[in-house]
Amino acid sequence: MNFLNATLLHKKNEIIVKLVDHNVEFNIPYNSVKKIDKKYLDGNLKVVIGIRSEHLKISYRQSYSSLKLKISHIEDLGDEMLVYAIFEEEDSSNKPN
């Protein structure tokens, strides 16, 4: 599991996840975190989120909850393969207000 520092902001039926150490945001459905104490959903309190690699998939189209990553290298282990990637940080000047 990969652990990342983040803030969570509840807006309508979604949560905006902003990674604190990166200029990266993505959305997740509110229903997936509705059991979280509301005080953590104001966009100010820092939390640690865990992302399981087995829940990630490669897509060439951007979707609702996609992360833009750049593959740095691939390690072939025989029956498995490890893919190492870094965030392609968003340019805040191109983000809509």
Side-chain angles (χ1 to χ4, degrees):
M1 183 173 304
N2 297 283
F3 295 100
L4 302 163
N5 297 313
T7 59
L8 306 174
L9 179 61
H10 183 199
K11 282 198 171 182
K12 297 185 182 178
N13 292 327
E14 66 184 20
I15 301 294
I16 300 169
V17 180
K18 181 174 183 179
L19 302 181
V20 174
D21 301 325
H22 306 278
N23 189 25
V24 175
E25 289 183 5
F26 60 96
N27 301 331
I28 58 175
Y30 172 69
N31 286 341
S32 64
V33 295
K34 64 183 176 185
K35 293 183 180 181
I36 292 179
D37 190 322
K38 304 258 188 279
K39 71 180 180 184
Y40 295 108
L41 303 178
D42 68 354
N44 295 316
L45 286 176
K46 292 181 184 176
V47 298
V48 176
I49 62 169
I51 298 176
R52 294 185 183 275
S53 57
E54 59 267 24
H55 293 156
L56 299 176
K57 67 179 182 176
I58 295 175
S59 175
Y60 296 100
R61 293 184 305 193
Q62 190 160 353
S63 68
Y64 174 73
S65 59
S66 62
L67 291 170
K68 196 170 187 178
L69 302 171
K70 181 177 181 179
I71 295 174
S72 61
H73 61 283
I74 299 172
E75 187 176 352
D76 190 353
L77 302 175
D79 62 341
E80 291 184 344
M81 191 176 288
L82 298 179
V83 178
Y84 297 85
I86 57 174
F87 290 107
E88 283 196 8
E89 298 193 15
E90 298 174 359
D91 179 359
S92 60
S93 63
N94 292 331
K95 284 194 72 87
N97 291 332

